[in-house]
Amino acid sequence: MEAQPDVISTLRPVRISYIDNLRVFLTFLVVVHHSAVPYSNLDVWPKWQHTAPSSAAEPLDLLLVVNQTFFMGFFFLLSGYFAPGAVDRRGPRRFAAERLKRLGIPFLAFVVLLRPFFVLPDYVNLPAETRPSFAVHYFTTWEVGPAWFLEVLLIFSLAYALLRHLRTTAEPLRSRPLRRRDVLGFVLVLSVVTYAWRIFVPHGTDEPVLGLPSPAYMPQYVLLFAVGVAAYRHRWLATPSRRSGWFGVLLVVVSFVPLALGGYRGFGASGALAGHDPAHLALAVAESLFAVGVVLVLLRVFERFVAGASRFSRYLADNAFAVYLVHAPVIVGAEALLLQLDAAPVPKFLLTLVIAAIGSWAISGALRRVPAVRATV
């Protein structure tokens, strides 16, 4: 059987079909998320046309806020899950070299080949009288779009390789059930660390050096990557608890309590509230409960109901990583095609999503027919 790339294309000897299907779903969520941004009230994506804030776009704003709470953290969890086995098989040095190839080359490919198309709307919208040449704009700005994930994941992977190199001996595989008190303890740690982090990196800010659009969620990314590593050692994803899904539902429901008690005030409140304001702590607790709850629910649902494999599902999974790379300029192109369409934000979002999803998977499938591309992504 051909080795299957995981979320970050780490080779592993055995495919877990429900995780393959979950990767496809999360990748589709990324396409959904970025297809919605151009028509939302949020200015976090290159737009061909800037419009005044509209109540018709508020459903898209809600979709983006909910999605942001968990979906990229989930990617880091799955990426962390496949890291220990790869290091066990290759050793830290070969693992680090493989990560540099599988993440570094795609990142550079995006920056050199795809980023010009991604930033084109921002360039066109610059005032004509002060607009520099495109080359000057390209080299004096640093907007890497969704490729920031590759940057951060490469850093995490190299740090993990260094840790394993210093440790010299790998922790043995020990199957142990994931207990509820473990989950609640993690939620507590994540909430406190996120609250402390956001005193210095407020919710709603961006990070220009690495091009991170959501640095306020960095504690979630780090800790969920670590959870993924632990999940591999304890086989939590191979044998999820039957009741974990319902416990996840409970966490999602409970997350609305701290949100209602003041956490909602923390959204987009950079500068409006003091960094140590209790509203930020309430929001951190709400987001942590919600994110962990959704992760548990999705793991259980896919393990129980979406665990089958077919030729089509293999095609979707094999090309998911490439879709992550190419979808951004595809969305920018779809947005340009629909620029003259007189429609409300939600219908235009749905049309963009259809074009972007089909186009991204089709382009990825075609690109991966090239041996050099297939060997990397």
Side-chain angles (χ1 to χ4, degrees):
M1 179 184 297
E2 181 186 13
Q4 164 66 29
D6 68 298
V7 170
I8 59 171
S9 299
T10 297
L11 299 176
R12 70 184 192 275
V14 179
R15 299 181 75 138
I16 304 177
S17 294
Y18 93 85
I19 293 183
D20 276 349
N21 297 334
L22 186 53
R23 288 190 309 109
V24 171
F25 174 73
L26 290 175
T27 304
F28 178 70
L29 270 189
V30 170
V31 180
V32 170
H33 191 89
H34 293 146
S35 296
V37 176
Y39 310 108
S40 72
N41 293 316
L42 306 180
D43 190 18
V44 292
W45 184 269
K47 297 182 179 183
W48 290 103
Q49 187 176 56
H50 291 270
T51 58
S54 166
S55 60
E58 289 178 356
L60 300 180
D61 298 344
L62 179 61
L63 169 65
L64 295 173
V65 169
V66 172
N67 232 10
Q68 183 62 59
T69 304
F70 75 92
F71 78 137
M72 293 311 299
F74 207 163
F75 267 114
F76 282 108
L77 186 152
L78 293 181
S79 300
Y81 178 78
F82 292 104
V87 176
D88 291 348
R89 294 189 300 275
R90 299 185 179 90
R93 291 184 179 180
R94 287 183 59 198
F95 171 78
E98 188 258 358
R99 292 299 82 198
L100 285 169
K101 172 186 175 183
R102 294 295 184 99
L103 296 173
I105 292 177
F107 174 76
L108 292 177
F110 182 92
V111 170
V112 174
L113 301 176
L114 300 180
R115 181 173 174 264
F117 299 99
F118 177 67
V119 301
L120 190 58
D122 282 344
Y123 175 75
V124 170
N125 283 318
L126 292 175
E129 60 274 11
T130 58
R131 183 190 302 155
S133 68
F134 184 75
V136 171
H137 175 75
Y138 176 82
F139 287 108
T140 57
T141 59
W142 186 247
E143 172 57 71
V144 297
W148 70 267
F149 173 69
L150 307 183
E151 276 185 296
V152 176
L153 187 53
L154 179 58
I155 293 171
F156 288 2
S157 300
L158 295 179
Y160 178 71
L162 177 61
L163 181 64
R164 287 289 300 272
H165 174 73
L166 296 175
R167 189 172 182 177
T168 68
T169 58
E171 181 183 351
L173 294 176
R174 292 180 296 183
S175 182
R176 181 176 71 81
L178 180 63
R179 298 165 297 188
R180 293 182 179 180
R181 64 174 177 267
D182 296 330
V183 175
L184 293 176
F186 174 77
V187 169
L188 176 62
V189 170
L190 177 59
S191 301
V192 172
V193 174
T194 298
Y195 170 64
W197 173 261
R198 289 180 179 174
I199 293 176
F200 306 98
V201 185
H203 197 285
T205 59
D206 58 10
E207 197 286 317
V209 176
L210 295 177
L212 305 184
S214 53
Y217 289 90
M218 188 57 67
Q220 183 192 94
Y221 303 155
V222 173
L223 292 177
L224 283 179
F225 182 87
V227 166
V229 172
Y232 175 83
R233 292 298 177 200
H234 299 303
R235 298 183 58 81
W236 289 339
L237 302 192
T239 56
S241 167
R242 292 183 178 182
R243 297 182 179 180
S244 59
W246 289 113
F247 186 58
V249 171
L250 177 63
L251 294 182
V252 170
V253 172
V254 172
S255 71
F256 289 95
V257 175
L259 194 65
L261 292 177
Y264 66 91
R265 296 170 54 235
F267 281 117
S270 178
L273 298 174
H276 59 273
D277 191 285
H280 294 304
L281 176 59
L283 179 59
V285 173
E287 289 185 330
S288 299
L289 286 166
F290 186 87
V292 173
V294 171
V295 166
L296 291 175
V297 170
L298 288 177
L299 285 172
R300 179 56 180 157
V301 167
F302 273 78
E303 188 271 338
R304 177 67 178 83
F305 300 106
V306 199
S310 65
R311 185 175 180 179
F312 182 61
S313 68
R314 291 283 180 91
Y315 170 83
L316 295 177
D318 287 344
N319 293 293
F321 182 60
V323 167
Y324 188 91
L325 285 176
V326 306
H327 79 278
V330 174
I331 289 173
V332 169
E335 183 191 356
L337 287 175
L338 300 175
L339 197 58
Q340 302 303 319
L341 178 64
D342 185 15
V346 172
K348 292 187 77 170
F349 150 67
L350 293 174
L351 285 173
T352 300
L353 174 59
V354 171
I355 296 171
I358 295 176
S360 296
W361 256 281
I363 292 171
S364 298
L367 288 175
R368 292 187 72 251
R369 290 180 179 273
V370 179
V373 176
R374 189 180 184 88
T376 305
V377 299

